[in-house]
Amino acid sequence: MPPSTLRILAALALLLGLACAVVNGWFFALGLDRLEPDATARTPLLLAGWLMVATEHVAVGLAALLPAALAGLRRRLLWLGLALLTFECVSMFTAQRALEHVNVVATSAQATHAADLRAAIDSQRATLEQLRDNGTRQSESTNGWRQHLGATALRDSLAGQQQLQALESELAALQGGIRPTLTGVLGESGASAFAAARALLIGVMGLVLMGAAGQLWAATRPESAVQPAGSAATGANRHARANSAQALPRRVPPPATTAGATRAGSNWPPWSLLKGQIPPKRPPRPNSDLPYLKT
């Protein structure tokens, strides 16, 4: 893979790791806003949280970027990153539980207010119905005073009906604003497990991406492309053996002998060897490119 591609991948991993760091710091700030009532102490605590988030990601990125000669420093940086990761996961879990508690309290308050408003609406509706019935009966009376009272009751019922409609509109708006909470959907234990898993995943994603960015950038250095001496020597020996094997000539098969030829390569009869006679060398064949094979 070319170095330019490795640098692009390293930059992409670095951006994603920084995004995870921003999310970690954001959760830390939300947790302080919900759990720390003193505004004077909130500012230094927030700065300390951002400092720990930045130190964690820089430590892991440097540990991946350093060469193998600084193995001791790499181990110390990794241990520092893991310790800060543990603290940040606990902080994010605490912040999520605080936010969930605020949501649960707000939702419970809205539900309680909606229940009280519904009870008030039911009571007022019953009162208006009774007032309307009384006004209708009194209006039908022959007594002028009772008729006057009946007309007043009917006017009061109409005014109460308008107030009832306003209360019903408020109840509808209040019920529309009630949203389900994570605790209501998953339960208390399920919400706690979900918050813990999300905090751990966000923290681990940031560290892995920063480590990947450091390793990808370190792979672009010139010394990282040099092969080990043992593998280079092995490849050179293999190449030399292949060249020598190609340079060796093929073995020429020996020429076919006649039926009366001996093991010495001559055409003398076998009984001549018993008398100590040395057979003469075979002269080279004319018009032949094959060398004469000596015995």
Side-chain angles (χ1 to χ4, degrees):
M1 188 175 293
S4 59
T5 305
L6 293 177
R7 290 190 182 96
I8 292 174
L9 293 177
L12 179 61
L14 179 62
L15 290 177
L16 293 176
L18 291 177
C20 293
V22 171
V23 172
N24 293 342
W26 204 345
F27 270 113
F28 195 84
L30 289 175
L32 285 177
D33 187 62
R34 295 295 186 273
L35 299 175
E36 183 57 50
D38 190 1
T40 305
R42 194 181 302 155
T43 301
L45 290 176
L46 181 60
L47 292 178
W50 279 107
L51 179 61
M52 284 187 289
V53 171
T55 303
E56 172 197 355
H57 289 78
V58 170
V60 175
L62 285 178
L65 189 60
L66 291 177
L70 302 175
L73 180 59
R74 293 175 65 180
R75 285 194 297 270
R76 289 193 295 270
L77 289 174
L78 286 176
W79 280 114
L80 176 62
L82 290 177
L84 292 175
L85 172 65
T86 303
F87 179 78
E88 287 183 5
C89 288
V90 174
S91 300
M92 283 191 289
F93 174 77
T94 305
Q96 292 181 75
R97 294 304 298 158
L99 293 174
E100 181 63 22
H101 179 70
V102 171
N103 293 333
V104 169
V105 170
T107 304
S108 300
Q110 288 178 348
T112 303
H113 182 53
D116 295 340
L117 191 60
R118 188 181 299 106
I121 289 173
D122 294 339
S123 177
Q124 188 171 357
R125 183 180 291 113
T127 302
L128 290 176
E129 288 179 358
Q130 184 177 3
L131 185 63
R132 190 181 300 109
D133 292 341
N134 292 334
T136 302
R137 286 197 303 269
Q138 289 176 353
S139 298
E140 295 175 354
S141 176
T142 58
N143 190 349
W145 178 248
R146 292 178 63 86
Q147 291 179 357
H148 175 71
L149 292 177
T152 304
L154 290 176
R155 286 194 298 269
D156 291 340
S157 66
L158 291 176
Q161 186 66 32
Q162 294 178 357
Q163 295 178 358
L164 183 62
Q165 291 177 356
L167 290 177
E168 289 177 348
S169 300
E170 183 181 356
L171 177 61
L174 185 61
Q175 289 179 343
I178 297 177
R179 296 181 180 179
T181 60
L182 193 62
T183 303
V185 175
L186 299 179
E188 187 69 26
S189 58
S192 299
F194 186 82
R198 181 162 52 189
L200 183 61
L201 287 175
I202 293 174
V204 171
M205 278 193 308
L207 291 189
V208 171
L209 289 172
M210 292 300 293
Q215 288 185 352
L216 288 172
W217 194 269
T220 61
R221 292 180 297 196
E223 58 270 17
S224 63
V226 178
Q227 294 181 356
S231 61
T234 305
N237 294 336
R238 189 182 300 111
H239 185 66
R241 287 196 300 268
N243 291 338
S244 61
Q246 292 178 1
L248 291 176
R250 288 187 176 183
R251 185 175 179 182
V252 181
T257 58
T258 58
T262 62
R263 286 178 300 175
S266 65
N267 291 327
W268 285 33
W271 52 267
S272 62
L273 296 176
L274 299 177
K275 296 180 180 182
Q277 297 180 3
I278 300 175
K281 295 181 178 180
R282 177 180 296 175
R285 296 182 182 181
N287 300 328
S288 178
D289 296 334
L290 299 176
Y292 181 71
L293 300 176
K294 297 182 180 182
T295 59

